[in-house]
Amino acid sequence: MVARASVLVVDDSISKRYVLGSWLRRAGYEVFEASSGEEALRDVRDHAPDLVVLDVHLPDLSGIEVCRRIKRDRESAGIPVLHVSAIAVDAGDRSIGLDEGADAYLVDPIEPREFLSTVGALLRQSRRYAEEHRIALTLQRSLLPATLPDLAGLRVAARYHASAAQAEVGGDFFDAFDTPDGDAFIVIGDVQGHSLGAAIIMAELRYALRAYAFDGHPPAAVLDRLNRLMLLSHPEATATVCILTFPPDRSRVTIVNAGHLPPLLIGPDRLSYWEAGAGVLLGVDAGAQVADSMPLPPGTRFLLFTDGLVERRSEPLEVSLATLASSVAAAHGFGGGTGPRRARRSIDDIADGLLAAAGRAADDVALVLVEVTDLR
């Protein structure tokens, strides 16, 4: 049995809610009602309706602001919003509503047939979007490692979350593997754009990177070869990739970073972004990549991530990076990022927490947490 579509009707007028609700119920929809903006946002969280019919003028929040918050939240961004108004009726009002995220806008007097036809059209569009998003996510996940291998001397936790605001596949990827020589490669990368083309380039880069590494090339040479591949095969595309490599005894770590955000280094008594080994992103005809390395005490951790974890339209990247560092420091028991360390959580627990905290990100999120254990 197919469940009835649910509609949340938000209006501070009891009579208006009654009229719109009765039209919808007679048409076979399940109807919820709210009389204020805050009540509407609670109902969206609690009931996840298939569509919201939203008055522009409410006693607490404006309908414009309610719509903005619905569309900003990863969990509700795909819910269509239909604005209705008896006051804000001119072209400028309608333009503002649509520009701020509403999917349609009707003004009083509303004719029942037009209203129900608009509701039906928005629900059909929403179902198509949901199906496209499901297919895109399935494809994206099929291009990423289904499971990560057991790497001697290392613990690895990886997470990926697709943006609810994008129906198309993205270019975020990660990988972790041992080469035949026993070196461990930890990889994070991001191909620019959201499209099938970005996903195809992502898959090419990931598999080519493995092939170059298995042939015995050091990480800087691997990225140089990937860059030549990009320039020859996809001259219009760009990508960022960061590689950490560990020798068989896991005594050191080497970084090569082609334009990616720096990994967060979590040491025994401090944490900081590892800015070394930075080079130009792939797809740019520039100089060779340069590696940097450092010794490793057991227990050292690294967090690699794509920009969806930190980039926010409302704040500079430097602020977002500092916020992430503070959050990771707290999870590891550092007092303000320095000082004696208390008991710290597992990398799986921290990875889950970081992904949950990024739930409202507008972009895809990929992250990898690595912990060095004692082989010596």
Side-chain angles (χ1 to χ4, degrees), residues 16-45:
K16 186 70 170 294
R17 293 200 307 274
Y18 173 79
V19 170
L20 297 179
S22 63
W23 292 347
L24 291 164
R25 290 185 179 95
R26 284 199 296 269
Y29 297 107
E30 181 182 9
V31 178
F32 302 100
E33 296 183 11
S35 60
S36 69
E38 292 291 352
E39 185 182 357
L41 292 172
R42 286 195 300 272
D43 284 346
V44 167
R45 289 192 297 269

Side-chain angles (χ1 to χ4, degrees), residues 133-187:
H133 191 266
R134 184 191 66 79
I135 294 171
L137 182 57
T138 300
L139 175 59
Q140 177 79 15
R141 292 194 181 281
S142 73
L143 298 173
L144 296 172
T147 58
L148 294 178
D150 292 327
L151 303 176
L154 299 174
R155 295 190 186 97
V156 185
R159 300 291 185 271
Y160 171 79
H161 198 302
S163 168
Q166 301 283 352
E168 296 182 305
V169 290
D172 293 34
F173 70 98
F174 59 83
D175 209 347
F177 57 89
D178 266 333
T179 67
D181 293 334
D183 291 339
F185 273 61
I186 308 296
V187 183

Side-chain angles (χ1 to χ4, degrees), residues 36 45 47 62 110 165 187 212 228 237 239 304 317 324 334-335 363:
S36 69
R45 289 192 297 269
H47 301 296
S62 74
I110 299 173
V187 183
Y212 294 143
R228 288 200 293 272
L304 298 87
L317 179 59
L324 174 63
F334 293 126
D363 199 359

Side-chain angles (χ1 to χ4, degrees), residues 355-367:
L355 201 63
R360 297 184 180 183
D363 199 359
D364 297 347
V365 175
L367 64 90

Side-chain angles (χ1 to χ4, degrees), residues 10 36-42 44-45 52 54-73 76 81 83 93 96-102 105 360:
V10 187
S36 69
E38 292 291 352
E39 185 182 357
L41 292 172
R42 286 195 300 272
V44 167
R45 289 192 297 269
V52 177
L54 181 61
D55 185 20
V56 173
H57 289 277
L58 296 169
D60 50 355
L61 302 172
S62 74
I64 303 294
E65 175 61 23
V66 174
C67 178
R68 188 183 296 119
R69 295 189 189 183
I70 290 172
K71 297 297 185 177
R72 193 170 56 202
D73 191 316
S76 60
V81 174
H83 273 318
D93 295 321
I96 292 172
L98 294 170
D99 288 344
E100 292 297 328
Y105 199 114
R360 297 184 180 183

